Amino acid sequence: YGKDPKFKAIEKMREREHLFNEWRAEQQAEKKEEEESVKEEAPREKRESRERSKERRSRDRHESRGSRDRNESRDRHSRDRRDSKETKANKIKDDFMDMLKHGDVRISPDSSWSKKKKYFSDDERYIAVGSSSTREGYFYEYTKSLEDREPELSEAEKKAIAKKKKVPTATLR
């Protein structure tokens, strides 16, 4: 402060302190007045806010009958859309499984998707399934269902399958 020309204009230190204390007292008085005016306005604002919320609750109570109907209608519509998406997805899956079951390509429980998928690539049911990973998942789900059906085979059918799987030893020599 010693370099400020206003500070140097007052020669005595006591006078400087006195002027500073007066300035500080003025600042505190202004601050106090602001706080009091805010305190006076706050209860009025609270009262007005309470009145507005009462009016809103009253209005909402009378209008709520219509909004409940709108909410129910919206919920019903979204539920119907979700159900239709699920049924569409299930139909696509069923069609794909039907393609695997009744297709020209023989699929066994140990079949590989990478070797069999090229036979189905032109089929509409194959294209309808959007994701290749989903197609592969459906394929392996189908092969697993074939594994589950195998125990139901008769003994003669099991022997025939085992015979096909065996490699003749005479050709290996």
Side-chain angles (χ1 to χ4, degrees), residues 11 17 19 35 40 60 65 76 84 88 102 161-162:
E11 295 178 9
E17 284 180 21
L19 287 173
E35 288 175 355
E40 290 173 3
D60 290 348
R65 292 183 187 118
R76 195 175 327 108
S84 70
K88 185 177 179 183
H102 299 295
I161 291 172

Side-chain angles (χ1 to χ4, degrees), residues 106-119:
R106 184 180 178 284
I107 299 174
S108 62
D110 58 339
S111 295
S112 168
W113 172 244
S114 59
K115 292 179 182 175
K116 300 293 182 178
K117 68 180 178 181
K118 59 187 169 194
Y119 298 109

Side-chain angles (χ1 to χ4, degrees), residues 69-127:
D69 292 341
R70 283 192 302 274
N71 290 341
E72 288 174 6
S73 175
R74 184 188 67 235
D75 292 344
R76 195 175 327 108
H77 177 71
S78 62
R79 195 175 327 116
D80 291 345
R81 286 188 63 194
R82 187 175 47 247
D83 292 344
S84 70
K85 284 182 181 179
E86 289 174 3
T87 55
K88 185 177 179 183
N90 287 338
K91 183 181 180 336
I92 289 172
K93 180 180 179 181
D94 292 343
D95 288 346
F96 188 83
M97 294 296 207
D98 190 50
M99 174 190 72
L100 295 174
K101 186 175 184 179
H102 299 295
D104 297 334
V105 181
R106 184 180 178 284
I107 299 174
S108 62
D110 58 339
S111 295
S112 168
W113 172 244
S114 59
K115 292 179 182 175
K116 300 293 182 178
K117 68 180 178 181
K118 59 187 169 194
Y119 298 109
F120 301 111
S121 62
D122 295 331
D123 197 312
E124 290 177 14
R125 298 169 288 186
Y126 175 88
I127 297 168

Side-chain angles (χ1 to χ4, degrees), residues 131-146:
S131 164
S132 61
S133 60
T134 306
R135 290 181 197 125
E136 185 175 4
Y138 290 165
F139 176 81
Y140 286 115
E141 187 178 323
Y142 176 74
T143 58
K144 180 146 178 51
S145 71
L146 292 177

Side-chain angles (χ1 to χ4, degrees), residues 148-160:
D148 295 342
R149 285 188 217 154
E150 262 190 17
E152 300 169 6
L153 299 175
S154 67
E155 286 299 319
E157 291 174 327
K158 287 181 184 177
K159 286 180 184 177

